[in-house]
Amino acid sequence: MGRGDLTDAEWERLRPFLPVSSGRCGRWRDHRQVIDGILHRVRTGVQWRDLPERFGPWKTVYERHRLWSADGTWDRLLRQVQAEADAAGEIDWDISVDSTIVRAHQHAAGARTEPPPAPALKGDAAAERQGENAVAEPRRPPGGGGAGGEGLGRSRGGFTTKLHLSADGRCRPLSLIITPGQRADCTQFMPVLEKIRVPRIGLGRPRKKPDSLAADRAYSNGPCREYLRRRGIRHTIPEKIDSQAARLRKGSRGGRPPGFDEERYKKRNTVERAINKLKHARAVATRYDKRGYVFLGTATAAALAIWLRS
């Protein structure tokens, strides 16, 4: 076993949830070998063509990663590992939300303006598109094409992508979203929280609501606070200085200041530490992927490794 490869215990946690070949589209190459190759690339940032030979053909590894990024397999694996942790009572539901800028490498530019066409089907395979052979066809994400459509934009750091995330109290990512680098944090506050979905082991609805939430001043506005109040989520968000001054100028008409728990806010560093863990993966710290959904799959694979090894 090489450095960074799955251990036997980690592999056994993932194996039951991996796609199984229907036999009609050929046999899958060994999942464990391919996942080890994907995690090696995520950790080191090496070009796909330069993957060590022990992981098999580089194109097989890349295509598996692209397919699983498109059809949601990485998301499903992450949720299953989260479900096991939640069933064991190992998730701290005092969560925090933040974002981080990821500098895009020049290789991330130049994606095609339209999503690549789906592979042609022959014979009776076209009639089975929705059947057993569905795993062979990635779901094409909407809105492909253009830098903005691929989560690329301009910010103070130059050509960048912004990674928005929520993290539990043990510094592990719960949900991930990418946008162009110039997008404001508060615009993705509700999508990040809505993406939290931890399934139950057995019967029951997935858990979506945290016990409490902490965020910085970037999320201190009326819509964010109203959303949290509507869902009944206790929150600690400091008030912006200009908002505080405007409220004081209005006197009694300005209303009461929002509640703020200074001790709870000290735990907000958990999301910063989760970001640091994610950026230990060089393919997350610098974006090399052209397509937005592939980069999100890369970040999700890095988050999955954090959950497996935490």
Side-chain angles (χ1 to χ4, degrees):
M1 187 179 72
R3 179 172 178 260
D5 290 355
L6 294 173
T7 64
D8 291 340
E10 293 166 356
W11 166 244
E12 287 303 321
R13 294 176 67 184
L14 296 181
R15 184 176 57 81
F17 309 109
L18 293 171
V20 178
S21 173
S22 65
R24 297 177 181 271
C25 54
R27 296 178 57 188
W28 290 96
R29 192 174 186 87
D30 180 48
H31 278 319
R32 184 171 183 176
Q33 181 187 34
V34 172
I35 292 175
D36 284 340
I38 293 171
L39 293 181
H40 177 85
R41 186 264 175 176
V42 170
R43 181 174 59 85
T44 63
V46 67
Q47 292 189 21
W48 290 106
R49 293 176 182 270
D50 295 332
L51 278 175
E53 293 182 0
R54 67 187 180 90
F55 299 122
W58 70 267
K59 194 167 186 179
T60 299
V61 181
Y62 165 72
E63 287 294 337
R64 190 80 53 87
H65 177 57
R66 184 187 64 82
L67 173 66
W68 286 1
S69 299
D71 67 9
T73 298
W74 286 124
D75 282 330
R76 289 193 293 273
L77 292 175
L78 178 60
R79 287 176 178 173
Q80 289 298 332
V81 173
Q82 291 172 346
E84 293 177 358
D86 189 41
E90 296 177 355
I91 296 183
D92 183 349
W93 282 99
D94 291 329
I95 74 168
S96 301
V97 176
D98 206 350
S99 69
T100 183
I101 288 289
V102 177
R103 184 66 183 267
H105 192 270
Q106 59 186 4
H107 292 170
R112 284 176 281 187
T113 57
E114 296 295 335
L121 299 177
K122 299 180 180 179
D124 296 335
E128 299 173 355
R129 180 186 296 265
Q130 303 299 327
E132 295 178 349
N133 199 41
V135 70
E137 287 210 37
R139 173 179 56 82
R140 301 300 176 184
E150 300 301 338
L152 291 168
R154 296 285 180 179
S155 66
R156 292 181 180 180
F159 198 41
T160 54
T161 292
K162 183 172 282 190
L163 184 64
H164 307 259
L165 72 154
S166 62
D168 78 335
R170 298 186 179 182
C171 311
R172 299 173 295 188
L174 283 169
S175 60
L176 299 161
I177 286 178
I178 66 165
T179 63
Q182 74 275 11
R183 190 67 57 84
D185 292 358
C186 60
T187 62
Q188 302 305 308
F189 181 70
M190 286 177 273
V192 165
L193 292 183
E194 292 290 342
K195 199 174 180 182
I196 297 175
R197 186 183 179 88
V198 178
R200 308 283 187 179
I201 300 296
L203 300 177
R205 296 179 179 179
R207 176 159 184 178
K208 303 177 182 179
K209 180 180 174 181
D211 292 333
S212 68
L213 178 141
D216 61 19
R217 286 186 173 88
Y219 304 94
S220 179
N221 60 32
C224 291
R225 294 185 188 274
E226 175 59 28
Y227 171 80
L228 293 170
R229 284 194 293 268
R230 187 170 64 251
R231 291 191 59 187
I233 299 174
R234 294 184 295 113
H235 54 280
T236 297
I237 303 175
E239 189 178 17
K240 292 181 179 179
I241 296 176
D242 56 347
S243 299
Q244 183 180 18
R247 177 175 53 79
L248 293 175
R249 283 196 303 269
K250 294 179 181 179
S252 59
R253 295 181 295 105
R256 293 178 298 177
F260 180 73
D261 185 344
E262 187 174 349
E263 290 301 316
R264 170 65 183 89
Y265 189 69
K266 290 179 180 179
K267 292 181 64 177
R268 197 192 67 82
N269 68 81
T270 54
V271 69
E272 304 287 356
R273 290 151 62 191
I275 290 171
N276 288 341
K277 286 184 177 182
L278 278 174
K279 287 193 169 182
H280 286 174
R282 291 178 178 267
V284 178
T286 301
R287 174 176 170 174
Y288 300 102
D289 301 306
K290 291 183 185 295
R291 305 310 301 259
Y293 72 93
V294 177
F295 177 67
L296 182 58
T298 297
T300 306
L304 176 63
I306 291 173
W307 278 89
L308 289 172
R309 294 161 183 173
S310 59

